[in-house]
Amino acid sequence: MVNGKLNHNDNPFTKEMDRRTFLEGTTKIAGITLGLTLVNSLTSIPVSAASSSSVFHSQGNKPDLVFPVISDVHINSNSNRTLEKFVTTLEQLNKVVPEQDAFLVVGDLTDYGYASEYDKFMSAYNVRKQPKAVSMFAIGNHDYWNGLSVADAQKLFLKKTGMESIYYHKIIKGYHFIILHTEDGKTEGTFSAAQIKWLGEQLRLANADDPKKPIFVFHHQPIKGTIYGSEWGFSQNRDLFYDTLKAYPQVISFSGHTHYPLDDPRIIHQKDFTSIGTSTGAYLWLDSGRIQGEVPEDAGILNQALIVEVYNNKVIIKRRDIHNDDWTGEPFEISYPANKHNFKYTEDRDKKPPFFTNDAMLSIVNEKTTAAGLAIMFTQAKDNLLVHDYKVVARNVETKEIAKEFLAFSEFYKDPVPNPLTLQIDELKPNTMYEIEVHALDAYGNISNNSLRVLGKTLDGVEKEVKISLSKNVLNGIEDTVEVTVENARIPKSDWIGLYEINETPGPIASIWWMYTQVTDGICRFTYNPKNNINPGRYKEGSTYKLVYFYGSGYDSVASTTFTVGSK
């Protein structure tokens, strides 16, 4: 971890880098200037080059155009986990969409932008792509993380993917596709005024061609203040970008980057035009402030895609759970010709609060009661769109004071969604009676008028201390491994273990290695292998290191231990 956020030189599941760290002090940024001459010419794809159909048409009539959209595949050179998921995605989309006119990938094809990662991506893609589908890929921030200059990273992207330019405009069966590029490896993204000016020119051309048709725009990072997860969008030239699209209500803007799931209704946003997120083929990320953490347990299972069907008077966007081989949620339907006054996916579209049914129950899970914590189990609430969170309040019955208050996800991102839901309440006093009250919140922040309540008492005694023990305290060289046992570990809530030099302070400096905890019966066991270090240059013979156990996604240190790396 670094600078108060997870150091995503390493992802939570296979120690691979993800999008969010390389924050300003650590990003491999060679500049924000454009690295290549821009190709402004339109490339028209003849009608004969593509045909489309779908096995999931809403009304049985054949659409004019069909194309899948995916993003954030994150192919890694040292692991085949995301490659296997990508293969599953391609094969499943070929099954449910057997005739595609185009195939879009909205950035982060790779984890580091290495040539070997592009080779893996393209080898999987080329043997499974449909011959009549036009391939259109956008570059993402991860595709710059190869140590090359911006210009050379872009050249490598073009060489390996076969794209004709870093950003470009194609016409497929009379419909306009405008593909943009983030201009460097910055996590939040960079879209220059020059590129946005070019975007405006292409929009004018598309609108002049046929103002009644949708215009499809693709870019890796989202526009802040639009879709679910757009807090991870770009700030520089944000208003210029938005206002350029604002003049064209027929625009549908597709973005990736966030890893936020398609299940949340806010994944689509309409105000002056339509924006929609594309989820991920790698792993889940979520909004902060919930006890399950931004990257909850089993987040690596997520794999989703969009399928877009275009008709003469509407666009239907379907959400696919690749990991579940099924659809999720109702399809989004956008009518044409576009009129923003008739938009239905607006940010104020839902005023109905969720509710608990009359037979809903809340109880204490007695076997999980400790001196410092209670576990509750309750029936999930209902909502017209989606129950997103629960607000849990624990009050000391004797003093009437609030002892603990937090938000928890409904775990809507799981398949199936758990019902009843079990949540742990920690940091309570021993031998104390508490009243637990639970309210439900939907995706738009509406809170239930009714709540569930239950009384629970913590056990007498003192909570057991968390301890870390090692199979040995001196390692035989920098390749030697060590068995690690963490006793009295709590049920994971983004708890993690990081490795640091003995005298370094977590936070200001990145971890040498880290992982999320996996706990069974209060015990977390794993093998530390230096081959997985994300900062191997700091791991040396003759040096002493500390393993630190942290609560949550910050730097709340609970326990630590040390070992020395000896000479082999």
Side-chain angles (χ1 to χ4, degrees):
M1 293 203 176
V2 62
N3 295 346
K5 291 189 178 294
L6 295 179
N7 184 348
H8 301 290
N9 291 348
D10 185 354
N11 91 18
F13 310 102
T14 57
K15 304 173 183 60
E16 299 166 2
M17 188 188 304
D18 73 25
R19 72 192 189 289
R20 289 185 206 272
T21 17
F22 279 158
L23 298 173
E24 259 187 60
T26 57
T27 42
K28 297 179 181 177
I29 297 170
I32 60 172
T33 57
L34 301 184
L36 297 174
T37 301
L38 306 178
V39 178
N40 292 351
S41 60
L42 299 183
T43 303
S44 179
I45 306 298
V47 173
S48 60
S51 63
S52 69
S53 68
S54 170
V55 297
F56 190 60
H57 300 159
S58 299
Q59 300 174 350
N61 55 318
K62 187 175 181 179
D64 298 330
L65 185 74
V66 176
F67 58 92
V69 187
I70 67 172
S71 72
D72 296 86
V73 182
H74 290 279
I75 298 297
N76 184 271
S77 58
N78 297 318
S79 168
N80 287 331
R81 185 185 61 85
T82 52
L83 175 64
E84 291 166 358
K85 295 177 73 173
F86 182 44
V87 168
T88 300
T89 297
L90 295 170
E91 292 178 346
Q92 190 176 133
L93 289 174
N94 282 339
K95 179 181 69 174
V96 298
V97 194
E99 297 180 47
Q100 302 165 13
D101 300 303
F103 195 100
L104 281 295
V105 185
V106 195
D108 282 1
L109 285 66
T110 68
D111 225 3
Y112 288 85
Y114 294 152
S116 59
E117 294 173 342
Y118 284 118
D119 290 341
K120 275 181 158 184
F121 180 99
M122 295 307 298
S123 64
Y125 179 74
N126 285 334
V127 297
R128 293 171 179 86
K129 76 173 290 288
Q130 296 185 15
K132 294 182 179 181
V134 180
S135 302
M136 287 175 276
F137 305 153
I139 193 170
N141 58 299
H142 272 257
D143 301 319
Y144 285 95
W145 288 2
N146 45 30
L148 301 175
S149 67
V150 165
D152 286 343
Q154 292 175 357
K155 288 177 182 177
L156 181 62
F157 173 85
L158 295 177
K159 176 183 177 182
K160 291 296 185 178
T161 63
M163 297 297 103
E164 66 187 49
S165 179
I166 288 295
Y167 55 87
Y168 48 94
H169 181 170
K170 289 184 181 289
I171 304 170
I172 302 176
K173 296 179 71 175
Y175 291 91
H176 291 257
F177 291 71
I178 301 171
I179 289 78
L180 305 176
H181 82 300
T182 187
E183 298 179 25
D184 52 41
K186 285 184 178 178
T187 296
E188 76 161 16
T190 300
F191 295 90
S192 67
Q195 184 178 187
I196 297 170
K197 180 180 178 182
W198 177 86
L199 168 63
E201 294 168 353
Q202 309 315 304
L203 291 169
R204 284 190 288 274
L205 289 170
N207 184 68
D209 186 22
D210 189 341
K212 295 182 180 180
K213 285 184 175 180
I215 303 171
F216 303 110
V217 179
F218 305 86
H219 47 98
H220 183 60
Q221 287 93 346
I223 306 168
K224 278 193 174 181
T226 56
I227 61 167
Y228 178 50
S230 61
E231 66 269 25
W232 291 102
F234 56 95
S235 299
Q236 180 182 347
N237 294 326
R238 182 270 177 199
D239 291 346
L240 178 61
F241 192 108
Y242 185 95
D243 291 344
T244 300
L245 296 178
K246 181 178 179 179
Y248 304 96
Q250 69 267 43
V251 161
I252 302 179
S253 159
F254 296 83
S255 60
H257 187 56
T258 69
H259 294 222
Y260 279 39
L262 300 177
D263 312 78
D264 193 295
R266 294 169 295 169
I267 204 68
I268 189 171
H269 176 274
Q270 290 183 312
K271 185 177 181 182
D272 297 298
F273 52 90
T274 302
S275 302
I276 187 165
T278 54
S279 189
T280 177
Y283 59 90
L284 168 73
W285 200 279
L286 290 164
D287 23 357
S288 62
R290 280 71 172 176
I291 63 167
Q292 292 95 336
E294 293 171 287
V295 183
E297 284 188 277
D298 300 322
I301 194 174
L302 188 74
N303 188 3
Q304 295 182 314
L306 297 176
I307 291 97
V308 183
E309 294 181 354
V310 185
Y311 299 83
N312 64 350
N313 63 345
K314 63 185 175 183
V315 172
I316 295 178
I317 303 176
K318 296 167 182 175
R319 295 171 279 176
R320 185 76 184 177
D321 273 345
I322 302 296
H323 60 272
N324 203 36
D325 195 12
D326 202 356
W327 307 99
T328 181
E330 294 296 321
F332 300 126
E333 184 172 321
I334 305 164
S335 299
Y336 283 86
N339 181 344
K340 66 182 181 181
H341 299 293
N342 296 330
F343 283 165
K344 58 183 177 181
Y345 303 112
T346 57
E347 55 197 24
D348 60 352
R349 64 179 159 126
D350 183 14
K351 300 295 185 182
K352 295 181 180 179
F355 61 94
F356 290 102
T357 59
N358 292 334
D359 59 351
M361 298 179 66
L362 168 63
S363 62
I364 300 295
V365 183
N366 292 324
E367 58 268 27
K368 294 186 177 181
T369 299
T370 68
L374 297 167
I376 57 173
M377 181 173 64
F378 58 92
T379 309
Q380 292 251 25
K382 295 184 179 297
D383 186 67
N384 60 316
L385 290 177
L386 179 80
V387 178
H388 192 273
D389 301 309
Y390 291 99
K391 179 182 177 182
V392 179
V393 177
R395 291 182 180 85
N396 186 311
V397 171
E398 182 178 352
T399 66
K400 308 301 181 185
E401 294 178 347
I402 295 177
K404 186 80 172 181
E405 182 175 347
F406 61 85
L407 287 177
F409 289 119
S410 66
E411 300 186 359
F412 64 90
Y413 44 83
K414 290 185 176 180
D415 293 298
V417 176
N419 193 17
L421 179 65
T422 300
L423 299 174
Q424 185 74 26
I425 307 172
D426 292 318
E427 301 172 8
L428 302 178
K429 293 180 179 180
N431 195 30
T432 302
M433 182 72 73
Y434 293 93
E435 180 191 60
I436 313 299
E437 183 175 16
V438 179
H439 280 90
L441 291 86
D442 66 15
Y444 290 88
N446 300 307
I447 189 166
S448 60
N449 294 317
N450 60 346
S451 63
L452 302 178
R453 299 188 185 197
V454 70
L455 293 176
K457 187 177 182 180
T458 53
L459 299 178
D460 196 7
V462 179
E463 192 72 1
K464 295 180 180 178
E465 180 183 2
V466 177
K467 295 181 180 180
I468 305 177
S469 59
L470 307 176
S471 59
K472 52 190 171 184
N473 295 104
V474 178
L475 274 62
N476 185 22
I478 61 172
E479 296 181 354
D480 195 11
T481 63
V482 61
E483 303 302 315
V484 183
T485 301
V486 182
E487 299 178 77
N488 305 319
R490 70 177 187 177
I491 298 172
K493 300 170 184 176
S494 295
D495 293 355
W496 61 286
I497 295 175
L499 180 71
Y500 296 86
E501 294 93 337
I502 185 66
N503 295 319
E504 294 292 355
T505 302
I509 186 169
S511 56
I512 297 171
W513 166 93
W514 73 276
M515 61 166 276
Y516 282 114
T517 59
Q518 299 291 327
V519 178
T520 302
D521 296 329
I523 302 293
C524 173
R525 288 190 176 92
F526 62 93
T527 300
Y528 164 65
N529 190 334
K531 289 194 300 185
N532 296 320
N533 286 350
I534 55 178
N535 287 297
R538 290 163 45 198
Y539 191 76
K540 303 173 183 178
E541 291 183 358
S543 297
T544 301
Y545 298 92
K546 59 185 176 184
L547 279 167
V548 187
Y549 178 96
F550 299 94
Y551 277 170
S553 57
Y555 297 95
D556 182 10
S557 175
V558 179
S560 66
T561 192
T562 63
F563 65 84
T564 299
V565 179
S567 300
K568 187 172 181 179

